[in-house]
Amino acid sequence: MRHRFHGLKKIKVRQSWNKYNLYNLSRMKSPVTNRQTFFQQKWAAKSLSRAFHGETIREKHWQRIFRPTLRSVVPMDPEYLARNDGSEQALGRGSGLEQPPNDDDRKPKSIARTPYMNMVYAPTERRLDTAIFRALFASSTRQARQFVVHGYVKVNGKKMIYPSYQLNPGDMFQVEPERVLFATGAPKDSKERRMGRKLRARAKAAKDKVPKEKPEKQAEAVEEPAPRDPKEVLTTLLAQAKTILKTTDDLSGKKKQALRAFSKEVRRTLSRRITNTTITDSLDAQLLELTSRLNISETPSSSSTTTETNSSSDPKPRIDGSTIVLPSDERRMLREALAEARENPIDSKKPYATPWRPRDYMSAFAFVPRYLEVHHKICSAVYLRHPVARPGLGEVPTPFPAEVNGLTFNWYLRRR
C-alpha cells in the first residue's frame, strides 16, 4: 500500500497490519469538539470511523445495510438458573413472606455498562472480506477482498467471488493456505530476492542450452513412453479389479476375496500421498539415514564403564577415531532441527521469505473475535453467530471510544 493511504499528516487509521497504520493508532486522539456544532461533531466522527470500518464500501451501500437496532445480551448466572426456576421472585408479595435484606444486598453493586454504541458497524462484520481479515487470513481488508475476487476463498465448500457476501451463523469459509502464508508471512529482503532472480536466470539458461533436434531426426527417433504417474496406474488397476468382480461369474470365493483385499489396499494407498521420488517419511528413519552418512554415533550409556560415564557427562561432541560421538541432548536438538527443516523448508520459489516467519508488527493485531472459530492449520473458520454487546464488552473490534461511535450512530440514524 502506498504511504499516503495511511495519512501520516492527517491521521487516518485503517484495517491493516501496516507499520504506518500502527503508528497512527498509537498517536490517535479523540477529536476536539469544543468549538464545533452538533452537526460538525457528527460529521467528524462519521468521517473518522468510516475510514476504518469498511473504507472499501460505498456510502450508499453502507446506508442500505445500516441497522438502527443493536444486538445485545444480558449474561445470567448459570448456578442461579440451575438452582431456581423463577418462582422465588414472587415470594412475599402480599403473602407475608418478606425476606429480611442481607448485608450483601445493601451494598451497591457495580454493574459494567453495555457499550451499545460500539455496535454501529456490526453489519460490516458479516461481510466475507471483513471476516477473512478478522480470522487473521489476510493482512488487510483490501487484501482479503483481493483473495475473494481472485477465487482463493470458498464458503461452505463452494467458490465465492463476492467480497460483500453476508455470512450466516454456521457458515464455514476457507482460504488457500499458500495465500495465507503469503499474506501473513514476512516479505523477502533484497538478498533473498536477488537469490531468487539468480536461480530463475540459471534455470532459464539451462533450458536454452538444450539442443533442439532437427525435424528429420525427430521423425526418425522413436518416442519413448513417458513415465506414468503411480496414482494413475493404481486407479487403472482398481477399475480393472472392479470390472472383473462385476462381469466374471465363475470366480471362486478365494479369488473374489483376494480381489476385494487388493481393491481395499489400493484405495488405502490412494488415500495417502504418493510421489515419484523416494522420500523418507519417518523422522526416525531420516535421522538414522543422516547419522549413517555422517558417521555419527550416540554417546554410550553411563552404565558401561567409568570412562564411558565421564564421556557421557561431557556436553560437547567428541571425535572417536572416524566417528563423531554426540551426547543425547545434541542428538535431540538434531532431530528437532530435522523436523523444523522438514515442516518449514527453505524455498526460493515462494513469494515470501522462507523459512516462514510472521510479519513484523503482527502481534498488535493478532486476536480473533468471539463470534469466529478459527482453525489456522487448515486456514478455515466458522462464523458462529452475529456479534453482540454485553456488559463491559462490545464484540465489534474498534479503536474508537463510545462517544465517537455514538455520534456516528446519530448521523446515520438521522439520515435514514
Side-chain angles (χ1 to χ4, degrees):
M1 291 182 180
R2 55 189 185 274
H3 296 174
R4 64 175 178 272
F5 173 75
H6 298 282
L8 295 179
K9 293 183 179 179
K10 184 180 179 181
I11 298 178
K12 290 288 186 181
V13 292
R14 312 287 185 176
Q15 288 184 348
S16 171
W17 297 354
N18 193 284
K19 59 182 179 181
Y20 299 103
N21 186 53
L22 181 62
Y23 174 66
N24 284 339
L25 284 170
S26 65
R27 65 194 184 107
M28 185 184 65
K29 297 180 181 178
S30 299
V32 180
T33 59
N34 296 336
R35 299 180 181 180
Q36 292 180 345
T37 63
F38 188 50
F39 180 87
Q40 292 173 340
Q41 293 178 20
K42 292 189 293 183
W43 173 265
K46 169 253 179 187
S47 62
L48 183 64
S49 59
R50 278 282 285 124
F52 181 83
H53 293 281
E55 51 92 13
T56 58
I57 307 174
R58 294 185 178 182
E59 187 67 16
K60 289 185 178 180
H61 179 60
W62 161 241
Q63 290 179 5
R64 285 197 301 268
I65 66 176
F66 171 77
R67 294 291 178 267
T69 55
L70 305 175
R71 290 188 176 92
S72 63
V73 295
V74 179
M76 302 186 71
D77 187 9
E79 296 181 357
Y80 173 80
L81 294 176
R83 187 171 59 251
N84 304 301
D85 58 354
S87 61
E88 75 283 351
Q89 298 293 333
L91 294 178
R93 296 183 180 179
S95 60
L97 298 177
E98 297 275 347
Q99 297 293 334
N102 298 327
D103 295 337
D104 297 338
D105 298 337
R106 295 175 183 176
K107 297 179 181 179
K109 296 181 180 180
S110 59
I111 301 176
R113 291 186 175 184
T114 303
Y116 293 101
M117 294 296 102
N118 288 347
M119 303 298 297
V120 178
Y121 292 100
T124 62
E125 301 297 314
R126 290 186 60 185
R127 289 174 56 94
L128 181 58
D129 53 357
T130 306
I132 291 172
F133 172 71
R134 298 297 187 198
L136 306 180
F137 295 155
S139 60
S140 65
T141 51
R142 291 198 169 197
Q143 191 177 48
R145 183 185 183 90
Q146 186 185 46
F147 288 169
V148 177
V149 172
H150 288 185
Y152 298 132
V153 180
K154 293 182 180 180
V155 177
N156 296 330
K158 296 182 180 180
K159 184 186 295 186
M160 177 58 62
I161 59 173
Y162 302 106
S164 60
Y165 176 78
Q166 298 286 311
L167 293 172
N168 296 314
D171 285 350
M172 185 182 73
F173 57 93
Q174 187 173 8
V175 188
E176 287 191 8
E178 196 65 26
R179 296 294 96 194
V180 177
L181 291 174
F182 167 70
T184 59
K188 290 184 176 181
D189 55 12
S190 59
K191 184 178 180 181
E192 291 172 335
R193 288 195 297 268
R194 193 182 308 112
M195 186 182 300
R197 288 195 296 268
K198 288 182 179 179
L199 290 176
R200 287 192 295 270
R202 289 175 186 173
K204 186 178 179 181
K207 187 177 181 181
D208 295 340
K209 286 182 180 179
V210 176
K212 296 183 179 180
E213 297 181 358
K214 295 182 180 180
E216 298 177 357
K217 294 184 178 180
Q218 288 182 358
E220 295 176 358
V222 179
E223 295 183 357
E224 297 181 358
R228 297 183 64 184
D229 189 10
K231 194 171 183 179
E232 295 180 1
V233 176
L234 291 177
T235 307
T236 306
L237 291 175
L238 182 61
Q240 292 176 359
K242 288 182 179 179
T243 305
I244 293 172
L245 284 173
K246 288 182 180 179
T247 57
T248 309
D249 297 332
D250 55 348
L251 286 177
S252 62
K254 290 185 177 180
K255 290 184 178 180
K256 288 183 178 180
Q257 290 180 359
L259 282 174
R260 291 193 185 99
F262 172 74
S263 302
K264 185 178 180 181
E265 186 65 27
V266 169
R267 285 194 296 269
R268 186 182 303 171
T269 307
L270 287 173
S271 64
R272 296 193 295 264
R273 184 179 177 183
I274 303 174
T275 56
N276 292 326
T277 58
T278 56
I279 299 175
T280 308
D281 292 331
S282 175
L283 283 176
D284 296 330
Q286 189 175 3
L287 180 61
L288 182 61
E289 181 182 357
L290 182 63
T291 52
S292 62
R293 288 185 179 183
L294 298 179
N295 201 8
I296 296 175
S297 66
E298 194 174 1
T299 305
S301 60
S302 57
S303 60
S304 302
T305 57
T306 309
T307 308
E308 293 176 347
T309 307
N310 296 333
S311 64
S312 63
S313 61
D314 189 7
K316 297 181 180 180
R318 58 186 180 84
I319 300 175
D320 187 5
S322 62
T323 305
I324 303 175
V325 181
L326 288 179
S328 58
D329 294 341
E330 296 287 341
R331 191 177 178 85
R332 178 179 54 81
M333 291 175 61
L334 178 61
R335 189 179 189 281
E336 292 176 357
L338 282 174
E340 184 178 359
R342 185 183 179 186
E343 295 176 0
N344 194 7
I346 297 176
D347 190 357
S348 59
K349 297 180 181 179
K350 301 293 183 181
Y352 48 85
T354 54
W356 186 92
R357 60 183 184 274
R359 294 171 64 100
D360 296 335
Y361 312 104
M362 178 182 172
S363 59
F365 307 96
F367 68 93
V368 178
R370 293 188 175 189
Y371 52 86
L372 291 178
E373 185 71 26
V374 184
H375 197 303
H376 290 286
K377 290 186 177 181
I378 59 176
C379 300
S380 64
V382 179
Y383 184 81
L384 299 176
R385 54 179 174 79
H386 300 310
V388 295
R390 58 184 74 247
L393 175 66
E395 291 185 349
V396 176
T398 177
F400 306 106
E403 292 78 11
V404 174
N405 291 324
L407 291 171
T408 305
F409 180 76
N410 288 327
W411 170 266
Y412 288 109
L413 190 65
R414 176 181 176 272
R415 303 186 71 84
R416 284 187 61 83

